[in-house]
Amino acid sequence: MSVWAKHSPRLMLVASSVALVTALAGCSGSTGMTAKAPAGHAAGGQGDQRGTPPTTSPASPLAQPATLTATVKPAAGDVPVDTPVTVRASGGTLKSVVFEAAGGTALAGTFNSSRTTWTASEFLDPGVHYTLRSQAVNAAGKVTRSTRSFTSQHLTLDQQTYPNVSPLQGQVVGIGMPVVVTFDVPVTDRAEVQKYMSVTSTPAQVGSWHWVSSTEVHWRPKTYWKPGTKVDVKLNLNGVNAGNGIYGQLSRDIHFTIGKSLLIRASVATDKLRVVEAGRVVRTIPITGGKPGGFQTRSGIKLVSQKYPSIDMNSATVGIDPNGPEGYNIANVQYAMRVTNSGEFLHAAPWSVYAQGHYNVSHGCIGMSTANAQWLYNLTPVGTPVVVTGSSRPIEPNNGWTDWDESWAQYTATSAIR
């Protein structure tokens, strides 16, 4: 998973400028004209030889300049980062709006259909000086200009929460892969944050957000992804109020692709693992699972979450004394694929080939020959479902990506927006 510097610049680049649409000028009223008097009378009226002063008609509404207003005041300081920056024109339409951060970086925005309102596409970064330049034009073609500058509020790193996303940009994943968003600072206002997160796909599939905790939220479709699906994840979280004085730090846009239809079915009752591709069993592999006495392999629908060409396995990482009777410390375990947070893997286990296909001797992992482990490792992307049966020990909620071990009703129940 990628690591982003928490203090890195995060401003998006886009300029908002539109062509002027000018309406034909209307007729103006006459001014400074003296009425012609009837014969025998002075111009100013009977008996008044001085004449009547010129009369002026009211100014045409078309000649009134448009006015510009905005949601931020000129020279304002400490503007909240979740302020929606908006410009409005009355008595005319907006000709252009340019919204820039210090250094000239332009920020995107959109106009409404009548071109009387412009709204920035995202909230503000903390402690940044901004300039907002706008122009409006009335029906007579008269242009009104406005320039205002302001500075957003300063926030400490503890007042900001950074979202990390899995899968990675451009990754090809398995049919069970959830979108996993984690935050480094807890989110209190889950509904507000969820409003600014979306997942879309081609072809489209129904799905839901599912809050695992205040620092983790997942999204999955109602059924396994269709192979070849293109997925777009948008997290427009920069400046979003996450509650309790915390604000989103960064916006993300991630694209990934679903790979082939692949499912792994492992039975620790028969010690057989079947690889199902596009609905057809393409290989059956002898395995050994967790032995009795508290080491049973957990039953349930697990997902491959990490892959290691080789990894050192030490029982101390799962709370077992390496020097005790059940301890182990094995270097260079090959073709290991993690399926639980608690330490279950599918991996090569050449030391237990004698038991594979016959009985269970491991401490919970599913072991197989090196040749079979290498073949399966090369075939399997992250996010592939591993369905384990034959054990009386169920998988615990959130021990890994357990998104498919909950019913659809249970899964959607934790969404902050119904």
Side-chain angles (χ1 to χ4, degrees):
M1 298 179 72
S2 61
V3 178
W4 290 62
K6 181 142 189 169
H7 57 277
S8 60
R10 310 176 300 278
L11 298 173
M12 300 174 61
L13 304 176
V14 182
S16 299
S17 182
V18 297
L20 169 61
V21 178
T22 306
L24 293 175
C27 298
S28 61
S30 61
T31 60
M33 300 295 292
T34 303
K36 184 177 181 180
H41 292 273
Q46 186 174 4
D48 185 356
Q49 301 299 316
R50 294 173 299 171
T52 303
T55 58
T56 302
S57 65
S60 168
L62 297 180
Q64 296 294 325
T67 58
L68 287 162
T69 58
T71 52
V72 287
K73 297 178 180 180
D78 207 29
V79 175
V81 293
D82 61 339
T83 299
V85 177
T86 301
V87 179
R88 292 184 175 86
S90 58
T93 56
L94 289 167
K95 177 183 178 183
S96 67
V97 177
V98 178
F99 185 32
E100 293 179 325
T105 301
L107 285 82
T110 55
F111 294 90
N112 66 350
S113 58
S114 61
R115 303 181 66 81
T116 56
T117 301
W118 179 94
T119 304
S121 297
E122 63 177 276
F123 293 134
L124 307 173
D125 279 291
V128 174
H129 184 75
Y130 292 94
T131 301
L132 182 62
R133 298 181 181 89
S134 51
Q135 297 185 41
V137 59
N138 70 356
K142 183 176 178 61
V143 176
T144 301
R145 296 175 175 84
S146 172
T147 299
R148 59 184 67 202
S149 297
F150 64 94
T151 303
S152 59
Q153 70 184 119
H154 290 266
L155 297 174
T156 67
L157 293 181
D158 289 339
Q159 292 175 295
Q160 302 172 72
T161 185
Y162 168 89
N164 203 354
V165 186
S166 186
L168 303 178
Q169 184 72 267
Q171 193 171 6
V172 178
V173 297
I175 59 174
M177 183 72 203
V179 174
V180 179
V181 181
T182 56
F183 299 93
D184 60 345
V185 176
V187 170
T188 302
D189 194 340
R190 299 181 184 185
E192 183 68 10
V193 168
Q194 191 173 316
K195 279 182 357 187
Y196 293 92
M197 304 191 303
S198 67
V199 178
T200 56
S201 67
T202 305
Q205 289 188 239
V206 174
S208 173
W209 288 105
H210 169 79
W211 285 88
V212 174
S213 68
S214 61
T215 58
E216 186 171 346
V217 59
H218 294 196
W219 191 100
R220 75 159 173 90
K222 188 174 183 179
T223 58
Y224 288 144
W225 290 107
K226 295 179 175 64
T229 297
K230 305 293 184 183
V231 185
D232 180 25
V233 181
K234 291 187 184 300
L235 307 178
N236 196 17
L237 297 176
N238 196 53
V240 171
N241 190 339
N244 198 31
I246 308 299
Y247 296 86
Q249 186 203 26
L250 187 67
S251 293
R252 305 290 302 275
D253 192 354
I254 302 293
H255 307 272
F256 64 92
T257 303
I258 307 302
K260 67 181 74 174
S261 174
L262 184 69
L263 187 68
I264 297 172
R265 295 187 176 277
S267 170
V268 292
T270 64
D271 291 313
K272 297 290 189 299
L273 181 151
R274 290 176 173 80
V275 181
V276 182
E277 188 173 340
R280 184 173 65 90
V281 176
V282 295
R283 183 175 290 199
T284 299
I285 297 174
I287 60 170
T288 184
K291 62 185 177 180
F295 300 107
Q296 278 187 302
T297 302
R298 296 165 175 83
S299 289
I301 305 174
K302 310 168 189 179
L303 294 172
V304 174
S305 59
Q306 293 173 310
K307 297 177 63 176
Y308 302 90
S310 68
I311 188 174
D312 296 341
M313 292 188 173
N314 190 308
S315 63
T317 62
V318 292
I320 300 173
D321 182 359
N323 300 313
E326 294 294 348
Y328 57 87
N329 187 7
I330 309 172
N332 195 32
V333 177
Q334 293 184 293
Y335 309 116
M337 298 189 290
R338 179 186 289 275
V339 292
T340 72
N341 294 339
S342 60
E344 288 186 11
F345 288 78
L346 280 65
H347 62 76
W351 55 84
S352 65
V353 170
Y354 70 93
Q356 293 165 17
H358 303 293
Y359 48 92
N360 299 311
V361 297
S362 82
H363 287 83
C365 291
I366 291 177
M368 64 198 78
S369 71
T370 300
N372 281 327
Q374 181 180 19
W375 177 85
L376 187 61
Y377 182 94
N378 291 336
L379 182 71
T380 305
V382 167
T384 297
V386 179
V387 182
V388 179
T389 58
S391 166
S392 60
R393 184 186 188 186
I395 184 72
E396 301 88 352
N398 306 317
N399 184 4
W401 296 339
T402 58
D403 299 68
W404 299 98
D405 273 293
E406 296 187 59
S407 69
W408 184 241
Q410 291 172 325
Y411 196 83
T412 58
T414 66
S415 173
I417 300 175
R418 306 286 175 82

